[in-house]
Amino acid sequence: MSETFEQTLSDILNVSELIYRNMSSPDGADHADIFNLLTTLGKVLVDADRASFWKWDKASHTLWTTAATGTSTITIPDTTGLVGKALAEGKVITTNDPYNDPDFNSDVDKKTGYVTKSILTMPVSNMNGEYIGAYQVINKLSGDGKFHRAEDCRKLSLAAVICGLALESDVFLEESHTDKLTKLRNRMGFFNDFDKMYDNIIADPNRKLSLFICDIDKFKSVNDTYGHNTGDEVLKHVASILKKNCNAGDGIYRWGGEEFIMIMVDTDMDGCAAKAEQIRLEIEANDCVTDQYTVHHTMSFGVTEFDSEKTIEQNVSDADEKLYAAKEGGRNRVIK
């Protein structure tokens, strides 16, 4: 057994052990770390300089990756680039002369100064055979410096299969945290995000975290008068306004029924109440127009600033009590 082969095998086993440890972590697997490790595994398997895993967001018709060339997230239309071509044609794409390939996008190279010499792109599918992303390796380091489809695909296939399974799990998890009607994060997503995004803010005495909970006034009468299909349109209409007013770093969630929650980072109660009032006025001024009806609706809001001495549930309950006060006080108002 050659020294090179032994080193390659050792590298593969080291990466595999890291993947196993990550997935076996008592804190739960970090999907981003797993995908990064899987791309590392691909680099080792085919002796490539770089590798990336591209996720296909079919809803937005985009492809994106965070593990390509050391840059931040790269997002491209799903009809462009070698990744888009591989998915559209459902086959492996190789090029060993990328700058003369009309499907190669050289923008990243121009920004970073990286020189791409060879690329292999494999479509990745879920268990149903549906393409959900692509695995890409860049710049072969050994041999003639070129990727050879049959040989390198054989080496890369195991990592690509595992990546497909990991992505399918990632998509399933994301769907379980997303409300199908409004496309907002749901209650499960709310609690998941707290563990990953907001706990550190609450623990920092120099930062503020506030939220409001709101619901559509007399929503039952909307369903009774216009039907549940129109009621669904009202919910989507409200969700779009809430989402539009959600700043980067903040979160908007469908809490259940006609109730929604917005979390605002680095914002005190007064700032959160001001945002709630802004949204309240916008909703009051913008009727929901469907094919059959024009529905006027309003919303009530309860606002609170997070108290680190209380549980998440207790803080939400504080806001909910103020929402109840807004309802009892005549609706279409903000109470803090």
Side-chain angles (χ1 to χ4, degrees), residues 7-13 15 37-49 51 135 137 155-156:
Q7 183 59 52
T8 300
L9 180 60
S10 177
D11 290 342
I12 291 170
L13 294 175
V15 175
L37 288 169
L38 286 169
T39 55
T40 299
L41 178 61
K43 287 165 54 178
V44 173
L45 288 167
V46 297
D47 196 23
D49 181 47
Y135 202 112
V137 285
K155 294 177 180 178
L156 197 60

Side-chain angles (χ1 to χ4, degrees), residues 86-265:
L87 289 169
E89 297 182 2
K91 65 181 184 181
V92 175
I93 301 293
T94 57
T95 178
N96 292 301
D97 185 17
Y99 294 115
N100 288 315
D101 190 319
D103 293 303
F104 175 65
N105 186 338
S106 62
D107 289 347
V108 173
D109 284 13
K110 291 175 181 176
K111 290 177 182 177
T112 63
Y114 188 77
V115 178
T116 301
K117 299 176 182 178
S118 54
I119 304 173
L120 183 150
T121 306
M122 294 180 70
V124 171
S125 65
N126 60 18
M127 293 294 288
N128 294 323
E130 301 164 337
Y131 291 124
I132 53 178
Y135 202 112
Q136 188 172 75
V137 285
I138 300 172
N139 285 359
K140 181 85 169 180
L141 297 175
S142 57
D144 58 6
K146 298 179 180 180
F147 286 112
H148 299 276
R149 186 176 305 180
E151 178 186 353
D152 288 316
C153 280
R154 181 169 175 267
K155 294 177 180 178
L156 197 60
S157 59
L158 177 60
V161 167
I162 298 172
C163 248
L165 294 173
L167 179 57
E168 187 169 24
S169 171
D170 189 60
V171 170
F172 178 79
L173 180 65
E174 185 66 24
E175 288 179 347
S176 73
H177 290 169
T178 303
D179 175 56
K180 288 182 171 56
L181 178 66
T182 63
K183 308 306 179 186
L184 299 178
R185 303 279 280 175
N186 60 20
R187 190 178 296 211
M188 286 179 62
F190 174 89
F191 286 109
N192 179 77
D193 289 352
F194 245 95
D195 292 337
K196 295 183 177 180
M197 297 166 57
Y198 305 124
D199 266 352
N200 61 326
I201 298 175
I202 297 172
D204 188 340
N206 298 313
R207 301 185 72 180
K208 302 284 188 181
L209 188 73
S210 298
L211 71 78
F212 65 71
I213 185 167
C214 58
D215 78 359
I216 303 169
D217 295 327
K218 298 183 178 180
F219 183 68
K220 183 177 183 301
S221 68
V222 173
N223 283 327
D224 291 345
T225 303
Y226 303 104
H228 287 276
N229 288 340
T230 299
D232 286 349
E233 292 303 314
V234 171
L235 288 168
K236 290 191 287 186
H237 176 72
V238 166
S240 68
I241 292 175
L242 289 166
K243 188 174 182 179
K244 183 184 71 172
N245 283 279
C246 190
N247 297 326
D250 297 342
I252 181 69
Y253 305 85
R254 185 179 179 191
W255 191 242
E258 66 270 28
E259 287 191 328
F260 301 85
I261 283 181
M262 181 181 284
I263 297 178
M264 301 187 67
V265 301

Side-chain angles (χ1 to χ4, degrees), residues 279-287 296-299 332:
I279 295 171
R280 184 193 69 78
L281 292 170
E282 184 172 348
I283 287 172
E284 184 180 30
N286 289 274
D287 296 342
H296 179 71
H297 54 288
T298 61
M299 294 191 76
N332 190 27

Side-chain angles (χ1 to χ4, degrees), residues 43-62:
K43 287 165 54 178
V44 173
L45 288 167
V46 297
D47 196 23
D49 181 47
R50 291 180 172 177
S52 58
F53 184 74
W54 292 78
K55 182 176 179 179
W56 190 3
D57 187 340
K58 296 181 182 180
S60 63
H61 301 289
T62 58

